[in-house]
Amino acid sequence: MRIVFHGENAASFSHGFAERLGQPAEIALLPDTLASEADRAAYDAAEAIIGVKFDASLPSPAGLKLFHVPGAGYDMVDLPALPAATAVCNCFGHEQAIAEYVMSAILSRHIPLADADARLRRGDWTYWAGAPERVHGEIAGKTIGLLGFGHIGKAIAARAKAFEMTVHVANRSKVAASALVDRAFTLDALGDFWGSADIIVVSVPLTAETKGIVAAAAFAAMRPDAVVINVGRGPTIDEEALYAALKDKQIGGAIIDTWYRYPSAGDSKPLPSNLPFHELSNVLMTPHMSGWTSGTISRRQGVIADNIRRRFAGEPLVNVVREGA
């Protein structure tokens, strides 16, 4: 079998892949830009491709059996442009890492370890116990609102419950109350959902339905001290509305990991938005890192290898985005 890892992201899953696959294979690592004829020829001959992008600018391999996205999002894959016989799969395995990121971010707003450390190194005892003006916060008893209750939402809910938080969920399909969920909303009741929580976590995928789902009306309905966390896709939150809500202090703050602009061949170090979020003190900015851990890579590598084995053996695939002929 001929396997291609296309691009820097996909190449992260190639280390030790032959051993994980456990079968003979020709494995090629190709750059994001297929500049040479040799690179394009290798891509065109592939029977399995691991990559985050496919469009008409790339060769369309006639013998391609499987296109595997090494992550959950496949919004950069033009599905109709792929050969009809090609099965398309994605993978998860990032929910543990993202849930830890979310809880760490929430805890950091309530327990100022870094600031306390920096101050004490200067002899500043600002947070010393014993006086009411020196207290810091805690997250027990806070309400977390999860917009989306897939792999990520469920992992966050489990950890939030361990911290004795109340969990509200808004989801396209109905979610029943359970040991993890105290209250559930459908998407036609978002007006009530926005104001029900201290923290809103956005983890929905980017689709026509979810683009800009968090907009000006949402921020107007939120609590004045609410914190918004985006670990889904940047454009699920309206860029201008988010900036305005933060700049005008309409909400308490935001923790943003997924953005509106990313590095490209022409600009390797862009700011993540056309708007000056970096000038605001009430937003914590991270570079789409929440799910990128060694554990995520290992779990996803296992799914990719298993699906390749399944596809060539004619067995059912897991995490199917599109069935192949």
Side-chain angles (χ1 to χ4, degrees):
M1 62 183 76
R2 293 184 293 273
I3 302 172
V4 161
F5 287 84
H6 176 216
E8 183 180 19
N9 184 301
S12 301
F13 301 88
S14 66
H15 306 292
F17 188 81
E19 291 79 8
R20 198 77 178 257
L21 185 65
Q23 297 180 11
E26 297 177 23
I27 298 177
L29 275 62
L30 302 181
D32 286 284
T33 302
L34 304 180
S36 73
E37 286 301 319
D39 286 345
R40 296 185 70 84
Y43 193 96
D44 193 43
E47 296 174 287
I49 293 175
I50 298 93
V52 299
K53 176 184 176 181
F54 187 87
D55 58 29
S57 70
L58 293 164
S60 184
L64 187 64
K65 296 180 180 295
L66 176 64
F67 188 97
H68 212 302
V69 181
Y74 52 90
D75 43 289
M76 291 194 296
V77 179
D78 184 354
L79 297 176
L82 284 163
T86 303
V88 180
C89 295
N90 65 348
C91 49
F92 300 92
H94 58 326
E95 55 269 25
Q96 297 94 326
I98 293 178
E100 290 183 9
Y101 169 98
V102 168
M103 298 312 299
S104 174
I106 294 170
L107 286 165
S108 72
R109 288 187 61 88
H110 292 80
I111 307 171
L113 293 180
D115 190 47
D117 173 81
R119 288 175 179 273
L120 192 55
R121 290 172 188 274
R122 304 191 301 266
D124 181 344
W125 290 69
T126 292
Y127 297 105
W128 185 22
E133 65 271 14
R134 297 198 293 265
V135 299
H136 63 264
E138 57 185 44
I139 66 173
K142 298 287 185 182
T143 298
I144 185 168
L146 305 176
L147 179 59
F149 200 57
H151 293 80
I152 296 170
K154 290 180 176 68
I156 295 171
R159 288 154 179 79
K161 277 298 178 183
F163 281 95
E164 300 179 16
M165 299 182 77
T166 298
V167 176
H168 290 179
V169 168
N171 198 58
R172 181 176 58 183
S173 56
K174 189 174 181 180
V175 175
S178 67
L180 290 184
V181 178
D182 296 286
R183 186 179 178 190
F185 303 76
T186 50
L187 296 187
D188 58 359
L190 284 177
D192 296 325
F193 170 73
W194 302 129
S196 75
D198 302 294
I199 301 145
I200 301 288
V201 182
V202 182
S203 66
V204 289
L206 180 60
T207 65
E209 182 184 19
T210 63
K211 185 176 182 181
I213 191 171
V214 188
F219 293 116
M222 290 180 192
R223 299 176 181 181
D225 58 350
V227 175
V228 174
I229 303 175
N230 195 0
V231 290
R233 283 291 186 265
T236 57
I237 301 182
D238 182 273
E239 185 175 10
E240 293 186 357
L242 174 61
Y243 178 78
L246 291 168
K247 182 175 181 292
D248 298 340
K249 294 182 170 55
Q250 188 176 19
I251 60 172
I255 299 157
I256 308 298
D257 187 51
T258 54
W259 289 96
Y260 308 96
R261 292 175 60 197
Y262 283 84
S264 64
D267 187 358
S268 63
K269 295 184 178 181
L271 287 170
S273 170
N274 291 318
L275 299 171
F277 283 93
H278 59 286
E279 297 177 357
L280 302 177
S281 61
N282 56 351
V283 57
L284 175 67
M285 303 168 57
T286 59
H288 204 145
M289 58 176 274
S290 57
W292 197 241
T293 66
S294 56
T296 294
I297 291 173
S298 178
R299 289 184 289 269
R300 288 181 174 178
Q301 188 186 62
V303 170
I304 295 167
D306 184 49
N307 262 341
I308 291 175
R309 287 192 296 266
R310 287 169 177 264
R311 183 61 169 155
F312 282 82
E315 298 173 357
L317 302 170
V318 298
N319 298 337
V320 176
V321 173
R322 188 188 82 174
E323 298 280 359

